[in-house]
Amino acid sequence: EKAVVSTQSTGQQFGTGQHYSYFHEEDESSFQLVDSSKPQRSLYQRSRARYQRTRHQRPTQRVQDPKTGRMTVIPKYNNPMRRNNWNNRGHDNKNQVKLKSSVEVRKDWELQVEIEFSQIAKKYLSYPEKDITNLVECGTLEHYDKRYDRITTKAERPLAMTNRLFHYVSTTDDPIIRELAKEGHVFATDSILATIMTCPRSYYSWDIIIQRVGSRLFFDKRDDSDFDLLTVNETANELPGGEGGSNSLTKLSLEATYINQNFSQQCLKREAKTFKRPNPFVNEDDDHEPSSVAYRYRKIPLLGPGAEPLTLICRTEVDAVTTSANGEEKYMNIKALNEWDLKGGASEWRQKLDTQRGDILTTEMKNNKCKLAKWTVSSILAGSDLLKFGYVTRSMPRSSGESIGHSILGTQEFIPKQFAAQISLDMNNAWGILRVIVDRCMQLKDGKYVLYKEPGKGILRIYKVPLNTFEEDNDDSDDEEEEEEDK
């Protein structure tokens, strides 16, 4: 089980603490990232200045016209030297950033399946919404505070720190999933499913553990992975990744995760809707109040023409509840988009958000289309009625001794299915992708596997791994912690 308090060292909790840690003092203005490791080269490097200088100096490709003898420029769509595969589509101008692999592929891993994104781009499966049933609902939901809808750039509000506990529990560690083991064939969380269902949009590396046990499949995440960290500008033409400073990939991911946690709790009223069953991950010994969350365990049929019917059991999350004008309760997921690249120290969002919000959202759709798609899929899987976005920007320090703060500039609300259409997310294709992955896994023998997305490439690989893979790493880290405590 993994739990994170928004005010504590979230970097360590998310599996990146060996390099960077979050420290928060009494208020949000003290937000800072502290390098707690020995000096070393960054995992993410680029030569932006050199790229910008040379990008416009590339020679034009010309050929000699056999009729006139004149030199003619080759149009790019006729250029035989121009590649048009997935790796270049949408990423032609990406700067050269060294991307980190999410996991090291070891020599004793056996490759079982290889799936190119082009093979699943046209796979479709009807969305089984009417056949979805809720098996268990538990937790406590607080009401959304509608005063946050009145925030503007002229009446912005500081992002406040919330001293709350966030649980990131994987599938097989969930006690309710264990209760429901006889109800289905495939078991996963909404975040894991969303990662698989939107995989053609991903550029960074990620991995998921698959356990085949008889007729059942369990999709898990590694305890020490960065799986729950949010990406920033993953699908932009130029990836962030400057050496050091606050704009490296790792620090931006930590910052985005921190902003989302705090915004999702700050914009709530303390009026709560409590379900019959309590939050299954809360312990009496916890020193912090749990975050507002409801878990909905849903039973979803995975049907397909000529394919064996399978049942999916999925744990989904809802962040808040709100009341419509006619008094109807509506479930809501709350997320935050954050501006980090302040040109010359000035916020473009502060200047344009009130009058050109559509342009800002369009840019976010382009630069973060994978993250937005995962949020949308998770909301649809949970059966949420609304998807709320907050726009958060940095508040630059007035002096060198101050840390970066954050301010809320506005909010925007969508119906998840309508937003899916707006970002060109075809849920039938998303379900088709999931069914392809599940079918391939069902053909495997009992054992432990890793579904691996290679960085920067449109390909998935499934490796068979020894049963004790990753468990040894966890045992070593536990032993180190015990030795430190003994000292």
Side-chain angles (χ1 to χ4, degrees), residues 16-32:
T16 57
Q18 60 269 34
H19 299 298
Y20 298 100
S21 297
Y22 258 148
F23 291 94
H24 310 297
E25 302 296 339
E26 295 181 356
D27 55 32
E28 199 276 334
S29 62
S30 65
F31 159 72
Q32 58 182 320

Side-chain angles (χ1 to χ4, degrees), residues 4-11 14 22-33 142-145 148 151 157-168 228 230 253-270 288-292 319-320 334-338 375 388-393 404-408 411:
V4 174
V5 182
S6 62
T7 59
Q8 292 184 334
S9 166
T10 44
F14 279 107
Y22 258 148
F23 291 94
H24 310 297
E25 302 296 339
E26 295 181 356
D27 55 32
E28 199 276 334
S29 62
S30 65
F31 159 72
Q32 58 182 320
L33 279 162
E142 294 178 356
H143 285 256
Y144 175 72
D145 189 346
Y148 279 79
I151 292 178
R157 182 173 297 194
L159 181 70
M161 203 170 49
T162 56
N163 191 22
R164 290 191 164 188
L165 194 65
F166 293 83
H167 296 90
Y168 297 92
D228 294 303
L230 297 177
S253 292
L254 289 169
E255 181 184 10
T257 305
Y258 160 81
I259 290 172
N260 268 265
Q261 287 181 345
N262 286 284
F263 175 75
S264 69
Q265 303 302 302
Q266 179 181 346
C267 63
L268 303 178
K269 297 185 290 186
R270 294 302 177 254
H288 301 276
E289 179 186 7
S291 60
S292 167
D319 296 321
I334 302 174
K335 306 296 179 182
L337 299 169
N338 63 293
W375 285 347
K388 178 77 68 175
F389 291 137
Y391 291 89
V392 180
T393 189
I404 297 174
H406 298 89
S407 297
I408 305 169
T411 63

Side-chain angles (χ1 to χ4, degrees), residues 323-337:
T323 305
S324 63
N326 60 5
E328 182 183 1
E329 278 191 347
K330 292 184 177 293
Y331 290 143
M332 176 187 292
N333 284 97
I334 302 174
K335 306 296 179 182
L337 299 169

Side-chain angles (χ1 to χ4, degrees), residues 245-432:
S246 58
N247 291 342
S248 67
L249 283 177
T250 303
K251 292 183 180 181
L252 286 174
S253 292
L254 289 169
E255 181 184 10
T257 305
Y258 160 81
I259 290 172
N260 268 265
Q261 287 181 345
N262 286 284
F263 175 75
S264 69
Q265 303 302 302
Q266 179 181 346
C267 63
L268 303 178
K269 297 185 290 186
R270 294 302 177 254
E271 303 171 6
K273 172 185 173 66
T274 302
F275 292 87
K276 291 182 179 180
R277 296 188 63 165
N279 186 324
F281 312 123
V282 173
N283 298 317
E284 295 180 359
D285 298 334
D286 290 338
D287 296 330
H288 301 276
E289 179 186 7
S291 60
S292 167
V293 64
Y295 298 104
R296 308 181 81 189
Y297 294 81
R298 314 194 83 195
K299 187 176 182 178
I300 306 174
L302 291 178
L303 306 176
E308 178 185 357
L310 298 173
T311 301
L312 168 67
I313 304 297
C314 176
R315 186 191 76 216
T316 65
E317 296 183 20
V318 179
D319 296 321
V321 64
T322 189
T323 305
S324 63
N326 60 5
E328 182 183 1
E329 278 191 347
K330 292 184 177 293
Y331 290 143
M332 176 187 292
N333 284 97
I334 302 174
K335 306 296 179 182
L337 299 169
N338 63 293
E339 182 187 32
W340 57 274
D341 189 11
L342 305 188
K343 298 175 177 62
S347 167
E348 183 180 7
W349 287 12
R350 279 193 173 92
Q351 300 171 7
K352 299 182 178 180
L353 186 63
D354 290 344
T355 58
Q356 302 178 45
R357 185 164 304 188
D359 293 342
I360 291 176
L361 182 60
T362 299
T363 301
E364 289 298 301
M365 291 177 180
K366 173 180 176 293
N367 294 340
N368 294 287
K369 64 180 180 180
C370 182
K371 178 169 67 176
L372 288 170
K374 288 196 283 189
W375 285 347
T376 306
V377 169
S378 293
S379 297
I380 292 175
L381 289 174
S384 294
D385 303 291
L386 300 170
L387 179 57
K388 178 77 68 175
F389 291 137
Y391 291 89
V392 180
T393 189
R394 288 179 177 177
S395 300
M396 298 306 295
R398 298 178 182 177
S399 64
S400 58
E402 296 182 7
S403 302
I404 297 174
H406 298 89
S407 297
I408 305 169
L409 302 181
T411 63
Q412 195 167 4
E413 186 176 281
F414 296 92
I415 296 173
K417 293 177 188 175
Q418 294 180 1
F419 188 70
Q422 196 166 340
I423 62 175
S424 301
L425 173 63
D426 189 336
M427 283 302 297
N428 288 335
N429 177 233
W431 284 110

Side-chain angles (χ1 to χ4, degrees), residues 155-197:
E156 64 184 58
R157 182 173 297 194
L159 181 70
M161 203 170 49
T162 56
N163 191 22
R164 290 191 164 188
L165 194 65
F166 293 83
H167 296 90
Y168 297 92
V169 182
S170 193
T171 309
T172 53
D173 293 329
D174 188 329
I176 296 182
I177 289 286
R178 295 172 185 170
E179 291 179 18
L180 302 174
K182 295 182 179 180
E183 296 286 340
H185 305 93
V186 183
F187 302 83
T189 65
D190 55 356
S191 61
I192 292 175
L193 291 179
T195 299
I196 296 174
M197 295 168 76

